[in-house]
Amino acid sequence: MEMRQDHVIRLLEALASPVRLDIYRLLVEHEPDGLVAGDIAVRLDIPGNSISFHLKTLQYAGLVNGHREGRYQRYRACLMAAEGLIAYLTDNCCGHRPELCAPCVTTDVKPSLSCAASRT
């Protein structure tokens, strides 16, 4: 299923906050079990009164799913949303000529796919 531009913008807006980006990355790290909101707040030193705001924003964007466990809400990263975002951003790489794409290694980021032309 192809992602719509308005959904991509919602994902990017949600991840544009340093706190929400940290939350998402922490939840990815704790897949498949996820974490309860209180554990997220403690691990990232986020005030308890603001954690629910950030989690709701991530849920609205479709980056996080929550489900009730007794008194607690357990959150998990929706990895398909991130994969869809990456696919959307790289869909037209190298003018639809994937044979031109090659791994690119830089000193400050992990290796990733990028256009061969960008290495010149």
Side-chain angles (χ1 to χ4, degrees), residues 4 8 27 58 85 94 96 102-103 108-109 111 119:
R4 292 184 8 207
V8 170
L27 289 174
L58 289 167
L85 175 61
C94 300
H96 300 285
D108 57 341
V109 295
R119 292 186 284 148

Side-chain angles (χ1 to χ4, degrees), residues 27 30 32-40 55 59 64-77:
L27 289 174
H30 287 283
D33 299 325
L35 292 168
V36 296
D39 288 344
I40 297 168
L55 288 166
Q59 275 188 294
V64 167
N65 292 318
H67 68 276
R68 180 132 332 259
E69 287 184 0
R71 300 179 34 201
Y72 302 99
Q73 187 84 358
R74 180 168 297 273
Y75 294 91
R76 294 189 56 222

Side-chain angles (χ1 to χ4, degrees), residues 93-103 113-119:
C93 182
C94 300
H96 300 285
R97 294 177 55 201
E99 70 277 7
L100 295 179
C101 293
L113 290 180
S114 68
C115 294
S118 68
R119 292 186 284 148

Side-chain angles (χ1 to χ4, degrees), residues 89-107:
L89 294 172
T90 60
D91 184 44
N92 297 324
C93 182
C94 300
H96 300 285
R97 294 177 55 201
E99 70 277 7
L100 295 179
C101 293
C104 178
V105 179
T106 64
T107 57

